[in-house]
Amino acid sequence: MPGPQQKPGLPSMDGAQPISLVLSGGVALGSYQGGAYQALLDHGLSVRWIAGSSVGALNGALIAGSSPELRLDTLRNYWLERTLPDVAPFVPAGGMRHSVNWLSVLQARLFGSPGHVQTVGPRLSFSSFYDLAPTVAYLKRTIDFGRLNCGDIRFTVAATDIETGDVAIFDTGKGDRIGIEHLMASCGFLPEFAAIEVGGRLLGDGGLAFNAPIEPILDEAEGTDGTIVIVDLFARDGARPTGLESALARKNAILFGNQTWYRLDAYRRFWQRRAHTGSPQPSILYLSYLPVEAEAGPEAAFDFSRASAHDRWGAGLLDGQEAVGRLSQPAESREIVTAIRRRRGCQANVQMAAREA
């Protein structure tokens, strides 16, 4: 199969070292990570290690558990094809599209999303509002768990012990064997999704502690000149709220975005103090999803509509291309941590990027 096509006007990454990739949680916002990953592939960048939490763990498993030529297709299929057609592509950006996205949220909350989640019927005891059975079926059908555990990509999953509050890390590079139960445990964001018992521990969503599990990779990055790309689904920066909906959305984004950023900044300050030693330092690119126009405010993570998935994928592709451009700069001229913020274009630019993907 031919190698990735070089996009016009963007730098070639021939001979570049493999990178490490951190993928955060964020439910339906996860299609943004698919676009960012496509940008890396388009420029010949290979990934050697993926650490993921929640939906980031699912995306990481789809990548690490697939053969190289199928990795992008498995992500595209999960995010862009496994949804019901909706009317949003025919609705112009603005208030009407915003209303349509809220209708998609209502549909998912009441009836689920056929390719991703389903609602749970009446039961004698409560465990969760939703069941990830459609996602489990897709993962079992798609992922080669032999490749996932012994392939060319090291894979790490973060979950949270519901009883102790401790982080639970599973790492194929340390001999752990990761199965479907570890992926589902990492997605157990109570009360929407059930926690799972693994090895005698009740484990829930990694986002309850480490929404973006940077520690496993950064702990081993000290004294190296590797490149780490973090793809966070919540942006700590954003516009001033103008009402209740936007205030709730900003609260969620700040809570999760700052959770990642300040842990990351602690590493940056530590490595900066050690700069005088002359030891190599890693280069970290931090991408975060700044919601595209017309998102459904604080409920955007439950908008599984095809149109929104395409928009988020397109935003990830554009941000990923911006990150690749920074990698073309000489290593000595880069900061330890670079937050990627391209100049924002209009909604049409995001939609065009999604179509070109």
Side-chain angles (χ1 to χ4, degrees):
M1 182 174 179
Q5 297 294 312
Q6 175 70 23
K7 294 273 185 175
L10 288 167
S12 170
M13 294 289 109
D14 293 343
Q17 292 184 346
I19 67 173
S20 300
L21 187 60
V22 179
L23 303 175
S24 85
V27 200
L29 304 179
S31 58
Y32 173 80
Q33 294 173 342
Y37 179 69
Q38 180 184 341
L40 301 180
L41 285 189
D42 283 345
H43 297 88
L45 289 167
S46 60
V47 176
R48 69 177 182 89
W49 187 357
I50 298 175
S53 176
S54 195
V55 78
L58 300 188
N59 282 335
L62 289 171
I63 296 168
S66 300
S67 57
E69 68 275 10
L70 295 178
R71 286 168 181 164
L72 192 59
D73 287 341
T74 62
L75 289 173
R76 278 200 185 108
N77 186 266
Y78 183 71
W79 288 113
L80 306 182
E81 303 299 330
R82 289 171 57 81
T83 54
L84 291 175
D86 52 36
V87 300
F90 309 104
V91 176
M96 184 63 73
R97 172 63 188 278
H98 180 68
S99 299
V100 169
N101 286 349
W102 268 103
L103 288 175
S104 296
V105 169
L106 185 62
Q107 173 184 310
R109 284 294 192 181
L110 294 178
F111 308 109
S113 172
H116 306 96
V117 303
Q118 64 187 32
T119 54
V120 176
R123 293 149 300 162
L124 294 177
S125 61
F126 177 82
S127 60
S128 66
F129 289 120
Y130 304 100
D131 189 334
L132 286 165
T135 290
V136 170
Y138 182 72
L139 296 179
K140 287 182 175 179
R141 187 169 64 250
T142 304
I143 294 175
D144 178 346
F145 281 92
R147 178 185 290 273
L148 178 73
N149 286 284
C150 303
D152 57 334
I153 297 179
R154 180 176 174 179
F155 185 49
T156 302
V157 172
T160 305
D161 189 311
I162 297 300
E163 294 179 289
T164 67
D166 294 334
V167 176
I169 298 292
F170 303 95
D171 187 346
T172 62
K174 295 186 176 180
D176 296 327
R177 186 161 188 86
I178 294 173
I180 193 73
E181 68 277 12
H182 300 90
L183 302 178
M184 291 302 99
S186 186
C187 293
F189 193 76
L190 303 172
E192 278 87 353
F193 304 104
I196 304 293
E197 187 162 336
V198 179
R201 290 189 294 174
L202 185 65
L203 301 181
D205 198 291
L208 297 172
F210 284 177
N211 197 45
I214 60 175
E215 281 79 1
I217 290 178
L218 296 189
D219 284 346
E220 293 192 20
E222 183 181 353
T224 73
D225 58 358
T227 299
I228 300 145
V229 177
I230 301 169
V231 189
D232 200 341
L233 297 179
F234 294 92
R236 63 191 293 269
D237 58 318
R240 290 186 179 187
T242 57
L244 178 59
E245 178 186 326
S246 57
L248 289 171
R250 282 301 299 140
K251 181 195 75 171
N252 290 343
I254 292 170
L255 280 173
F256 285 107
N258 271 344
Q259 183 200 95
T260 302
W261 179 260
Y262 281 106
R263 287 165 31 232
L264 177 61
D265 194 55
Y267 280 89
R268 180 195 62 78
R269 287 184 280 110
F270 174 74
W271 289 331
Q272 204 166 44
R273 288 195 296 269
R274 291 178 53 82
H276 69 279
T277 65
S279 61
Q281 294 179 333
S283 178
I284 302 170
L285 298 175
Y286 178 76
L287 288 69
S288 56
Y289 176 58
L290 198 62
V292 299
E293 187 178 350
E295 282 279 25
E299 285 291 296
F302 264 79
D303 174 9
F304 286 93
S305 66
R306 183 171 299 179
S308 292
H310 274 276
D311 284 353
R312 294 160 187 159
W313 187 290
L317 179 60
L318 292 176
D319 286 355
Q321 290 171 350
E322 179 74 18
V324 169
R326 303 295 180 91
L327 285 176
S328 67
Q329 299 172 356
E332 59 272 12
S333 68
R334 292 185 228 148
E335 298 289 336
I336 297 174
V337 178
T338 302
I340 300 300
R341 269 291 170 261
R342 59 184 168 83
R343 189 167 65 182
R344 296 285 155 175
C346 65
Q347 181 80 350
N349 291 338
V350 172
Q351 292 172 339
M352 183 179 296
R355 287 195 297 271
E356 291 176 350

